[in-house]
Amino acid sequence: MKKFINSTDTMLDESLRGFARAHADIIQFNAQPHFIRRISATPAGKVALISGGGSGHEPLHTGFVGSGMLDAACPGQIFTSPTPDQMLAAAQAVENGGGVLFIVKNYAGDVMNFEIASEMLDCPHETVLVNDDVSLPKNHSTGRRGVAGTLIVEKIVGAAAENGADLAVCKALGERVNLATASMGVALSSCTVPALGHPTFSIGDDEMEMGVGIHGERGRETMTLTSATEIVEHLAHAIDEELKPQKGQPVLLHINGFGATPLMELHLVYDLAASFFEKRGITICRSLVGNYTTSLDMAGCSVTLTLLDDELIRLWDAPVHTAALRWGC
């Protein structure tokens, strides 16, 4: 293992301090308990959006704190859920009369700890559960995982909250975006968790893990490595079967890297995925390509498709100013 690291015990603290120093015009870091919040106070009556999860997925979620997206984010240790006291402290710090909306990826630890925090919160609050990963069946014992579609939910609901939508509207909107979103990923390598010191699984030079999550776990099946075209068609077909977009349907196509895949390859994947959907009469009217929901140093990517309408397009295009996503301002 070769990493820029002093100690596995201090790595998260040092990283968060550096992140806060690099983006001191946007966010501030609360050290005990850990959370990142906007530098400016939540406007009176605005719904406060809070998300979080294990570290190692950067820029998700801390990189999306700022105007037009999250009010606060709670980072846990690498691939480990944040604790309820982090979530409660973050909520109490940013809530200002509009209530709190938790945006939670469907992983057991995240769900449990956000539920505990919500039970202790003495202001109006709601939760949106993101479960966009179609590599797992709908009737899976723990449900489908929340992966790169989480960013889409955070951006669109963040814009609505910024525009004054109330808590009930933000929750309903988040659930609508989640239902309109499907993702699937593939890994060409494992990742190395610093505390573990070696890859979390072994994979041959001629193999790939199809249907991976974002925590270094294996996919739903190990397959023989093939051409980029065949890989993308496999991912896109599963998404197409899930969402069943009609001809003329406007969509957002998001190609997300897992941390070790260069943009040259990600844009190649975008070209192939765009061709797949356009041949079916789907209208790709918005796009996002890059490393946004990562798995440390894993090589691989995911494809995400979100069905759009005029309202969702307007909210996606709305100004956003965060460390990792910004336009219109």
Side-chain angles (χ1 to χ4, degrees), residues 42-43 45-48 50 71 90-100 121 123-124:
T42 306
K46 177 192 172 297
V47 175
I50 300 174
D71 292 87
Q92 291 171 338
V94 300
E95 200 280 330
N96 194 18
V100 170
L121 200 56
C123 68

Side-chain angles (χ1 to χ4, degrees), residues 36-64:
I36 297 290
R37 60 166 295 177
R38 294 191 195 189
I39 194 71
S40 56
T42 306
K46 177 192 172 297
V47 175
L49 266 59
I50 300 174
S51 192
S55 297
H57 307 307
E58 291 79 11
L60 191 81
H61 298 271
T62 54
F64 302 136

Side-chain angles (χ1 to χ4, degrees), residues 239-270:
I239 291 168
D240 187 59
E241 284 292 299
E242 175 70 22
L243 294 178
K244 295 180 169 58
Q246 301 301 305
K247 287 186 177 180
Q249 168 70 52
V251 300
L252 163 66
L253 177 58
H254 172 33
I255 306 301
N256 170 67
F258 288 149
T261 301
L263 280 171
M264 174 179 283
E265 294 176 41
L266 295 180
H267 282 114
L268 182 154
V269 169
Y270 178 87

Side-chain angles (χ1 to χ4, degrees), residues 101-210:
L101 181 66
F102 292 121
I103 299 176
V104 184
K105 301 187 304 300
N106 188 32
Y107 288 92
D110 289 2
V111 172
M112 178 182 69
N113 287 346
F114 271 104
E115 284 181 353
I116 293 171
S118 67
E119 289 171 0
M120 296 187 291
L121 200 56
D122 59 359
C123 68
H125 57 274
E126 295 286 356
T127 297
V128 171
L129 189 66
V130 182
N131 55 359
D132 57 305
D133 183 5
V134 299
S135 66
L136 299 176
K138 287 183 178 179
N139 61 356
H140 190 267
S141 58
T142 58
R144 287 174 163 172
R145 300 169 292 202
V147 287
T150 310
L151 177 161
I152 314 299
V153 174
E154 291 176 353
K155 170 62 184 79
I156 290 177
V157 179
E162 209 74 50
N163 292 339
D166 65 22
L167 184 59
V169 169
C170 287
K171 175 181 171 62
L173 177 63
E175 292 175 342
R176 177 157 69 96
V177 175
N178 178 61
L179 288 173
T181 301
S183 302
M184 188 166 171
V186 59
L188 306 182
S189 76
S190 177
C191 63
T192 299
V193 177
L196 188 62
H198 58 77
T200 57
F201 63 82
S202 299
I203 185 169
D205 290 342
D206 62 344
E207 293 179 328
M208 60 183 176
E209 287 291 316
M210 184 61 66

Side-chain angles (χ1 to χ4, degrees), residues 267-279:
H267 282 114
L268 182 154
V269 169
Y270 178 87
D271 183 59
L272 294 170
S275 295
F276 178 94
F277 290 112
E278 286 172 347
K279 287 177 183 176

